[in-house]
Coordinates of all heavy atoms in Angstrom, one line a residue:
V258 N -12.7 -13.1 9.9 CA -12.3 -12.2 8.8 C -12.7 -12.9 7.5 O -12.3 -14.0 7.3 CB -10.8 -11.9 8.8 CG1 -10.4 -11.0 7.6 CG2 -10.4 -11.1 10.1
L259 N -13.4 -12.1 6.7 CA -13.7 -12.6 5.3 C -12.9 -11.7 4.3 O -12.6 -10.6 4.6 CB -15.2 -12.5 5.0 CG -16.1 -13.4 5.9 CD1 -17.5 -13.2 5.4 CD2 -15.7 -14.9 5.7
A260 N -12.6 -12.3 3.2 CA -11.9 -11.6 2.1 C -12.9 -11.1 1.1 O -13.7 -11.8 0.6 CB -10.9 -12.5 1.5
S261 N -12.7 -9.8 0.7 CA -13.5 -9.2 -0.4 C -12.5 -8.7 -1.4 O -11.5 -8.0 -1.1 CB -14.3 -8.0 0.2 OG -15.0 -7.3 -0.9
K262 N -12.8 -9.0 -2.7 CA -11.8 -8.6 -3.7 C -12.2 -7.2 -4.3 O -13.3 -6.9 -4.6 CB -11.9 -9.7 -4.8 CG -10.8 -9.4 -6.0 CD -10.8 -10.4 -7.0 CE -12.1 -10.3 -7.9 NZ -11.9 -11.2 -9.1
G263 N -11.1 -6.4 -4.5 CA -11.3 -5.2 -5.2 C -10.2 -5.1 -6.3 O -9.1 -5.5 -6.1
I264 N -10.6 -4.7 -7.5 CA -9.6 -4.6 -8.6 C -9.5 -3.2 -9.1 O -10.5 -2.4 -8.9 CB -10.0 -5.6 -9.8 CG1 -11.1 -5.0 -10.6 CG2 -10.4 -6.9 -9.2 CD1 -10.7 -4.7 -12.0
H265 N -8.4 -2.9 -9.7 CA -8.2 -1.6 -10.4 C -7.6 -1.8 -11.7 O -6.9 -2.7 -12.0 CB -7.2 -0.7 -9.5 CG -7.8 -0.4 -8.2 ND1 -7.8 -1.2 -7.1 CD2 -8.3 0.8 -7.7 CE1 -8.3 -0.6 -6.0 NE2 -8.6 0.6 -6.4
I266 N -7.9 -0.8 -12.6 CA -7.3 -0.8 -13.9 C -6.4 0.4 -14.0 O -6.7 1.4 -13.3 CB -8.3 -0.9 -15.1 CG1 -9.2 0.3 -15.1 CG2 -9.1 -2.2 -15.0 CD1 -10.1 0.4 -16.3
V267 N -5.4 0.4 -14.9 CA -4.5 1.5 -15.1 C -4.6 1.9 -16.6 O -4.5 1.0 -17.5 CB -3.1 1.2 -14.8 CG1 -2.1 2.3 -15.0 CG2 -3.0 0.7 -13.3
V268 N -4.8 3.2 -16.9 CA -4.8 3.7 -18.3 C -3.9 4.9 -18.4 O -3.7 5.6 -17.4 CB -6.2 4.0 -18.8 CG1 -7.2 2.9 -18.7 CG2 -6.8 5.2 -18.0
P269 N -3.3 5.1 -19.6 CA -2.4 6.3 -19.7 C -3.0 7.6 -19.4 O -4.2 7.8 -19.6 CB -2.0 6.2 -21.2 CG -2.3 4.8 -21.6 CD -3.5 4.4 -20.8
R270 N -2.2 8.5 -18.9 CA -2.8 9.8 -18.5 C -3.4 10.6 -19.6 O -4.4 11.3 -19.5 CB -1.6 10.6 -17.8 CG -2.1 11.9 -17.1 CD -3.0 11.6 -15.9 NE -3.5 12.9 -15.3 CZ -2.9 13.5 -14.3 NH1 -1.8 13.0 -13.8 NH2 -3.4 14.6 -13.8
E271 N -2.7 10.5 -20.8 CA -3.2 11.2 -22.0 C -4.6 10.7 -22.5 O -5.2 11.3 -23.3 CB -2.2 11.2 -23.1 CG -1.8 9.8 -23.6 CD -0.7 9.2 -22.9 OE1 -0.4 9.6 -21.8 OE2 -0.1 8.2 -23.4
R272 N -5.0 9.5 -22.0 CA -6.2 8.9 -22.6 C -7.4 9.6 -22.0 O -8.5 9.6 -22.7 CB -6.2 7.4 -22.2 CG -7.4 6.6 -22.8 CD -7.5 6.8 -24.3 NE -8.7 6.1 -24.8 CZ -9.9 6.6 -24.8 NH1 -10.1 7.9 -24.3 NH2 -11.0 6.0 -25.2
I273 N -7.3 10.2 -20.9 CA -8.5 11.0 -20.3 C -8.0 12.4 -20.1 O -7.1 12.7 -19.3 CB -9.0 10.3 -19.0 CG1 -9.4 8.9 -19.2 CG2 -10.1 11.1 -18.4 CD1 -9.7 8.2 -17.9
R274 N -8.7 13.3 -20.7 CA -8.4 14.8 -20.5 C -9.1 15.2 -19.2 O -10.3 15.4 -19.1 CB -8.9 15.6 -21.6 CG -8.1 15.3 -22.9 CD -8.6 16.2 -24.1 NE -10.0 15.9 -24.3 CZ -10.9 16.8 -24.8 NH1 -10.5 18.0 -25.1 NH2 -12.2 16.4 -25.0
G275 N -8.3 15.5 -18.2 CA -8.8 16.0 -16.9 C -7.6 16.3 -16.0 O -6.6 15.7 -16.1
E276 N -7.9 17.3 -15.1 CA -6.8 17.7 -14.2 C -7.0 17.2 -12.8 O -6.1 17.2 -12.0 CB -6.8 19.2 -14.1 CG -6.6 19.9 -15.4 CD -6.8 21.4 -15.3 OE1 -6.9 21.9 -14.2 OE2 -6.8 22.1 -16.4
K277 N -8.2 16.6 -12.5 CA -8.5 16.2 -11.1 C -9.1 14.8 -11.1 O -9.4 14.3 -12.1 CB -9.4 17.3 -10.5 CG -8.9 18.7 -10.6 CD -9.9 19.7 -10.1 CE -9.5 21.1 -10.4 NZ -8.2 21.5 -9.8
G278 N -9.2 14.3 -9.9 CA -9.8 13.0 -9.8 C -11.4 13.0 -9.8 O -11.9 14.1 -9.7
L279 N -12.0 11.9 -10.0 CA -13.4 11.8 -9.9 C -13.8 10.8 -8.8 O -13.1 9.8 -8.6 CB -14.0 11.3 -11.2 CG -13.9 12.2 -12.5 CD1 -14.5 11.4 -13.7 CD2 -14.6 13.5 -12.3
I280 N -14.9 11.0 -8.2 CA -15.6 10.0 -7.3 C -17.0 9.8 -7.8 O -17.7 10.8 -8.0 CB -15.5 10.5 -5.8 CG1 -16.3 9.4 -4.9 CG2 -16.1 11.8 -5.6 CD1 -16.1 9.7 -3.4
L281 N -17.3 8.6 -8.1 CA -18.6 8.2 -8.7 C -19.3 7.2 -7.8 O -18.7 6.2 -7.4 CB -18.4 7.7 -10.1 CG -17.6 8.5 -11.0 CD1 -17.2 7.7 -12.3 CD2 -18.3 9.8 -11.4
Q282 N -20.6 7.4 -7.5 CA -21.4 6.4 -6.8 C -21.8 5.3 -7.8 O -22.3 5.6 -8.9 CB -22.6 7.1 -6.2 CG -22.3 8.0 -5.1 CD -22.1 7.3 -3.7 OE1 -22.3 6.1 -3.7 NE2 -21.8 8.0 -2.7
T283 N -21.7 4.0 -7.4 CA -22.2 2.9 -8.2 C -23.3 2.2 -7.4 O -23.5 2.5 -6.2 CB -21.2 1.9 -8.6 OG1 -20.7 1.2 -7.5 CG2 -19.9 2.7 -9.2

Side-chain angles (χ1 to χ4, degrees):
V258 176
L259 295 181
S261 173
K262 184 179 73 169
I264 78 115
H265 294 78
I266 65 172
V267 179
V268 301
R270 190 65 183 268
E271 62 270 17
R272 184 56 184 81
I273 302 174
R274 292 179 301 153
E276 300 173 10
K277 307 175 190 298
L279 295 177
I280 177 172
L281 308 169
Q282 291 278 358
T283 72

